[in-house]
Each structure stands twice: as C-alpha cells, then as structure tokens.
Amino acid sequence: MADARRPLMAGNWKMNLNHFEANLLVQKLAASLTEQQLADVEVAVLPPFTDLRTVQTAVDGDKLNIEYGAQDISTHKSGAYTGEIAGFMLEKLGCTYVLAGHSERREYHNEDDATVNAKVKAAYASNLTPILCVGEGLTIREENGHVGHCTAQVVAGLEGLTPEQVKRIVIAYEPVWAIGTGKTATPEDAQEVCGEIRARISEVYGAEVAGAVRVLYGGSVKAANIASIMVKPDVDGALIGGASLDAEEFASIVRYREHVAR
C-alpha cells in the first residue's frame, strides 16, 4: 500500500443492531484503540439508518476519532419517494461516507450500473464520499472474467465524475462468492483485482488520480487474515461485514500491523 494513502477500515453492519447496541459497539470500539492507532488507520462504521443519530451523538459527545456513514442513498434529492433517504439528510447527520453498489443492493434490489452511478453523484452532491462497491460472482470468476467485470463496473460507476471527485472516492472490491460465506479470496486474488482497478483508473484519469484512490478489499475479512491482505501494494484497507459487529475483532483488524510483526 502506498504510504500516501491512509488505510481505511470500514465496518458495514448491514441490517444488524438496534440503536442501543450501536451505541455500545461504537464506545467499545473506540475504547479498544489508542489515539495513535486511530490516527494511523481511519476507522468508519456504516450502521442502519435507524442507528445513525445514535452513532452521531456518541462520536460527537465523546469526540471519538471514528467516522461513520450510511449503507445507501437515494438517487433523488427529495420528494414523494416513500422509504428512501436523501443525501442532504445524511449530510445533516454528519455522515462522511455512503455505500453505492453493494452486491446485495445490486442483487436484491436490481440496481444496475446506471443506478449506482446516479447514487455516486448523489453522494457528491451532498458532500459525502461514496464507497463504490464492485465484485464478481462465482461463475464469472470460474470463467476468468473477474478482472474485466470489475473494471467495467468501476468505469461505469465513475462515469461523468471530475478527476478531483475520482481522487476522493473509495472503491471496495468484494468478490461476491466470498461475502458472508467464510470463503476468502487469497491475498494474491485481492491484489490482482485491486491492482487492475487502479491501472484502469490510471488509463482513464491519469496516474496521479489513480495513485490517490483508496481501494479496499471485502469478503469474509477477519483479524486472522487481514495482515496478509494489507501487505499487498494496491490494497488500502477493508470493507468488513460480520467481523465489524464484534468490537474486539474489529479493533484487532484495525491493529493489523501488530499481526504483521508477529
């Protein structure tokens, strides 16, 4: 990983934890990490919408060095869109990040690349940093089409953005076959796709922009495997699912450098 890119460990809580549990988890996570560890590695949590106000209160009240964001954003600015959450609402809650294009949204809600691109743009319109998720299913992987599939998703997700916007984006590579299955792509698999993503961004936007973009790996990340993934030059952090629901495990992932030293 390039020294200029600060590692990011982002916990996607998915549809878990009520607001009481959310408050306790954030407090435990912060208490498990030193100020230096939180300075060295950016830590973010992505709770359900119903927990965001509670997380904001915990972070602001105790001045915790933890970022937070949402799991989804509407493509619409406001209006008669029952059940959707607009970007300005997330901005007012102090969110830093928002996911766009997570595989579960693509699969269960039929979100295509055009919808994902619209959500990326909606995030920027509300001063939020999108975490653009890309990844392949098992069939595509077995057919050796994973690199082309993922880089095409990246290009589609970035369509219409300025180079400055692209510099700020976070891209999360999540092989769909490794999400919540206990299966993990090897560190070499992660590096292959993350490296190709950066190379494709360089082709379109230039080396300077590509060098600034943080590319995360996601898919059954845990303390036991994070160190071997983080030593790869194009992996800048992780999008963590189930392991982020355990404060001790999440903190251990953030302290990945300790595992490297062992």
Side-chain angles (χ1 to χ4, degrees):
M1 189 198 73
D3 292 338
R5 298 191 298 268
R6 183 185 178 201
L8 170 62
M9 299 298 180
N12 176 17
W13 295 356
K14 305 191 179 185
M15 197 174 69
N16 293 290
L17 307 184
N18 60 43
H19 69 285
F20 297 110
E21 295 166 329
N23 178 66
L24 183 60
L25 179 52
V26 169
Q27 298 287 356
K28 282 185 175 180
L29 178 61
S32 300
L33 296 165
T34 66
E35 290 184 11
Q36 187 60 54
Q37 288 165 343
L38 287 168
D40 291 342
V41 177
E42 183 177 3
V43 177
V45 295
L46 305 167
F49 291 128
T50 51
D51 296 348
L52 281 171
R53 178 59 172 160
T54 297
V55 171
Q56 179 192 35
T57 300
V59 168
D60 290 351
D62 290 337
K63 297 181 172 56
L64 305 179
N65 191 14
I66 292 177
E67 304 294 338
Y68 57 92
Q71 297 174 16
D72 191 27
I73 185 173
S74 177
T75 59
H76 305 286
K77 292 182 180 179
S78 63
Y81 301 101
T82 300
E84 298 205 30
I85 305 294
F88 79 90
M89 300 173 181
L90 302 176
E91 182 182 14
K92 290 297 183 183
L93 281 169
C95 290
T96 299
Y97 295 105
V98 63
L99 293 178
H102 191 279
S103 63
E104 290 159 1
R105 299 292 309 181
R106 292 179 188 262
E107 180 180 0
Y108 304 144
H109 298 271
N110 300 310
E111 293 187 2
D112 58 14
D113 286 334
T115 300
V116 174
N117 178 246
K119 292 189 173 188
V120 167
K121 291 174 178 174
Y124 280 121
S126 291
N127 299 307
L128 303 168
T129 297
I131 299 176
L132 171 62
C133 301
V134 301
E136 82 283 358
L138 185 59
T139 300
I140 294 173
R141 162 66 66 164
E142 291 176 339
E143 294 174 350
N144 204 33
H146 52 289
V147 169
H149 177 83
C150 293
T151 54
Q153 285 185 325
V154 169
V155 171
L158 301 181
E159 184 178 353
L161 300 186
T162 67
E164 286 303 313
Q165 287 175 322
V166 176
K167 272 187 179 182
R168 287 176 46 210
I169 204 164
V170 176
I171 296 175
Y173 165 56
E174 293 193 307
V176 178
W177 50 271
I179 299 176
T181 63
K183 298 179 181 179
T184 309
T186 67
E188 291 71 29
D189 290 334
Q191 168 58 29
E192 178 193 23
V193 178
C194 291
E196 291 292 343
I197 287 171
R198 197 178 308 282
R200 189 72 182 97
I201 294 173
S202 182
E203 290 175 4
V204 178
Y205 294 95
E208 181 184 352
V209 172
V213 174
R214 289 185 291 182
V215 183
L216 314 183
Y217 170 75
S220 298
V221 172
K222 43 190 173 291
N225 61 33
I226 185 62
S228 61
I229 295 169
M230 287 299 294
V231 296
K232 297 303 179 181
D234 288 297
V235 179
D236 304 313
L239 182 60
I240 307 148
S244 71
L245 299 174
D246 183 314
E248 184 176 346
E249 178 77 3
F250 193 179
S252 186
I253 290 171
V254 175
R255 296 192 296 266
Y256 71 92
R257 289 187 176 95
E258 296 179 2
H259 308 309
V260 174
R262 289 174 185 172

